[in-house]
């Protein structure tokens, strides 16, 4: 397994501030598109050994959004 601290030592230094990403969900959103948008964020945090990205799900009215497949997602409070 690659030792990221040797290859990129600056990656493990704490960031002054994490990037905050708000993912806006609409009714009948696509699960596939949500996964493609969201999954890279925690995947980047793993080799960095810190929370470079923070994320939250939001909706326009603050109510839960339901995907086209029926998956309800409750937004995070702002």
């Amino acid at each position: 397994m690659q030792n990221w601290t040797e290859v990129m030592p600056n990656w493990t230094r704490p960031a002054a501030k994490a990037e905050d990403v708000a993912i806006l969900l609409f009714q009948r959103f696509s699960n596939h598109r949500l996964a493609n948008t969201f999954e890279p964020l925690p995947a980047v945090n793993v080799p960095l050994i810190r929370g470079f990205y923070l994320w939250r799900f939001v909706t326009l009215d603050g109510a839960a959004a339901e995907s086209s497949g029926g998956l309800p997602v409750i937004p995070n409070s702002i």
Side-chain angles (χ1 to χ4, degrees):
M1 183 169 159
Q2 183 69 47
N3 185 341
W4 290 105
T5 58
E6 290 176 8
V7 177
M8 299 294 286
N10 293 335
W11 283 14
T12 59
R13 292 184 184 157
K17 183 179 177 192
E19 294 293 324
D20 187 20
V21 178
I23 299 172
L24 179 61
L25 300 175
F26 294 96
Q27 292 298 329
R28 309 280 302 148
F29 66 88
S30 163
N31 289 332
H32 183 72
R33 288 188 181 148
L34 176 60
N36 286 340
T37 301
F38 168 73
E39 284 300 323
L41 303 178
V44 166
N45 288 344
V46 171
L48 298 181
I49 315 170
R50 63 183 167 89
F52 186 79
Y53 287 107
L54 302 175
W55 57 87
R56 60 190 169 163
F57 299 112
V58 298
T59 59
L60 293 176
D61 60 2
E66 188 172 296
S67 75
S68 59
L71 174 72
V73 175
I74 300 171
N76 302 92
S77 2
I78 293 179

